[in-house]
Each structure stands twice: as C-alpha cells, then as structure tokens.
Amino acid sequence: MIGLGTIANTIAVIIGGCIGLFLKKGIKKSLQDSLLQAMGIAVLFIGIGGTLSQMLVFKDGHLETTGTMLMIFSLLIGTLIGEIINIEAKLEKLGEIARKILHADEQSKFVDAFVTVTLVICIGAMAIIGALQDGLSGDYNSLLTKAILDSVICMVFASTMGAGVLLAALPLFIYQGLITLCASFISPYLTTAMINDICYIGNILITIIGINLTFNNIIHIRVGNMLLALIVPVVYHIFS
C-alpha cells in the first residue's frame, strides 16, 4: 500500500510523543532542564556533523570548503522573506490554537517544541528518499526504520518540552505524504545534488536549534523566520 510508510511514521511520532508526555509527569523540573540541555547539545552536534559532511571536501590532498555561497544566500534570502512575512508569529498563533485544543500548559515552549521536532524529523535524506521509494515502488522499509528513530526522538523531546511535539506529526504527514503522492512527477527533478543541498541547509537550521536549546536562557534565534532558506537550494537547482 502506497503511503503506508508515512502513515506509520506519523503514528510513531504521536505514540512517542504521548509516551514522553506520560513520563514528563514523573520528572522533576531540574531534571527536565538538564535533559533539555543534553538534547540541545545532541541536536547541536547532529546539525554540525551533517553540515560539515556536506561542506568539507578533500581535493588534491587538501581539506576545502564548498557550498559557502549557497549557505550565505539561502540564509540571507530565506531570513529576509521570513522576517517580512513573520513566519514565527504565524507559527506562534498556530501553536496557541493547538495548545488550547491539546489543553497544554507549556505555552512558552509549545512553539519551540513544534518547530524543533518538525525540523529534526523532516530534514534529512531518509525522509525524502524514503517517501520517494514508498511512492514509486511501495517500498516503505526506510520510513519504518525512520519511524522507530522518530518515536524515540519525540519521546525524549515531549518529556522535556511538552505537547508541542505532537503537532509536529502534522507537517511530517503533509511533507512526506506529498512527496509520496507526487513521487512519479517530482523524482526526475529531485537530483542527488538537490537533496544534498536541501539537507545541507536543513542541518544548518538544526544547528541553530541546538544553539537555542543549549543556551535557552541566554539566546533565542528566530529559526522559524529562517525556514524559507530550505527553498533556495530547490530554486537554485531548478534554474541552474
């Protein structure tokens, strides 16, 4: 059945999030803060590792950087448009509506949890390639593997950040579902280079999220207003 992988992945996110919310009740506030910082450091290094794996290359026996201009223009253009339309404010309104529906108390962390987990579980080659495989051949094994990983991620984040994690199931379902449904049409355009560059910029955003989580009481970068940076590599490869 085509689309089963995304359905399983979405259910896994919800189940993992619900388990995390249940565990949250028995975790002291001080421990929650420590676990949140620990997850922040983990996300920070995941983002850095993913970024450097795309950015650093060996050429003629020397270590060089690549994709610097793409990074600069993606972040500049994406942030400029994001700030103009104020994506983060719209996410906060969406989060407030969802918070009331879910009767969540963690208003201050609700949107942060939603944005953080959405990026962590949606950005990556496994999400794109797995959804393509599901749509083209009905092979959902990659997404089932991803579902297991995402359930653990959501469990940990829900236990520290609250119910906003559950909302991340919606963009995941839409994102992977659309790729699956449109797989036969978009697969010729989704080249390896394009997927790599999307993941490259995505990992930079994940790094920024890691910074926000790790230094939660010191700094807050409006990563929501940077989300359109992910579109720039797509436009670049379409017209290049």
Side-chain angles (χ1 to χ4, degrees):
M1 174 183 171
I2 292 177
L4 186 60
T6 292
I7 294 173
N9 200 169
T10 304
I11 293 173
V13 166
I14 295 173
I15 291 175
C18 288
I19 293 173
L21 289 177
F22 176 76
L23 294 175
K24 180 181 175 68
K25 298 176 182 179
I27 301 177
K28 295 189 299 183
K29 181 65 168 61
S30 59
L31 181 55
Q32 288 180 22
D33 292 340
S34 296
L35 289 174
L36 185 60
Q37 284 188 322
M39 286 303 298
I41 294 171
V43 170
L44 181 60
F45 277 93
I46 289 171
I48 292 173
T51 301
L52 293 181
S53 68
Q54 299 288 336
M55 195 173 187
L56 297 180
V57 295
F58 277 101
K59 187 176 181 181
D60 300 326
H62 295 88
L63 190 63
E64 298 181 1
T65 59
T66 184
T68 304
M69 295 308 297
L70 176 64
M71 174 184 66
I72 293 172
F73 281 108
S74 294
L75 291 177
L76 281 177
I77 295 172
T79 302
L80 177 62
I81 299 175
E83 285 287 343
I84 291 173
I85 63 179
N86 204 351
I87 296 175
E88 188 140 312
K90 292 175 173 58
L91 288 174
E92 288 175 356
K93 289 181 181 179
L94 175 63
E96 177 61 21
I97 293 172
R99 186 189 68 81
K100 291 179 180 178
I101 294 174
L102 294 171
H103 303 289
D105 296 325
E106 309 84 9
Q107 182 173 357
S108 62
K109 291 183 180 179
F110 194 94
V111 175
D112 287 341
F114 166 55
V115 174
T116 297
V117 176
T118 296
L119 278 177
V120 171
I121 65 178
C122 287
I123 298 302
M126 187 178 286
I128 300 173
I129 295 173
L132 285 174
Q133 289 174 337
D134 193 1
L136 293 173
S137 63
D139 180 6
Y140 49 80
N141 288 320
S142 292
L143 289 184
L144 287 182
T145 302
K146 181 176 179 291
I148 296 172
L149 297 172
D150 288 350
S151 65
V152 175
I153 291 170
C154 291
M155 180 178 67
V156 176
F157 271 110
S159 69
T160 56
M161 298 187 75
V165 171
L166 296 176
L167 189 60
L170 179 60
L172 174 74
F173 180 77
I174 296 173
Y175 173 66
Q176 288 184 179
L178 284 176
I179 293 176
T180 296
L181 291 175
C182 303
S184 59
F185 174 73
I186 65 176
S187 58
Y189 302 98
L190 280 175
T191 62
T192 301
M194 181 188 290
I195 293 174
N196 286 340
D197 283 341
I198 293 172
C199 294
Y200 170 43
I201 301 303
N203 279 311
I204 293 173
L205 297 183
I206 289 175
T207 303
I208 296 170
I209 284 177
I211 293 172
N212 281 342
L213 291 175
T214 305
F215 305 101
N216 185 44
N217 297 323
I218 302 174
I219 188 172
H220 177 76
I221 303 171
R222 293 194 296 272
V223 68
N225 286 345
M226 298 180 176
L227 290 176
L228 291 181
L230 293 166
I231 305 297
V232 177
V234 177
V235 175
Y236 168 76
H237 282 281
I238 289 175
F239 292 100
S240 62

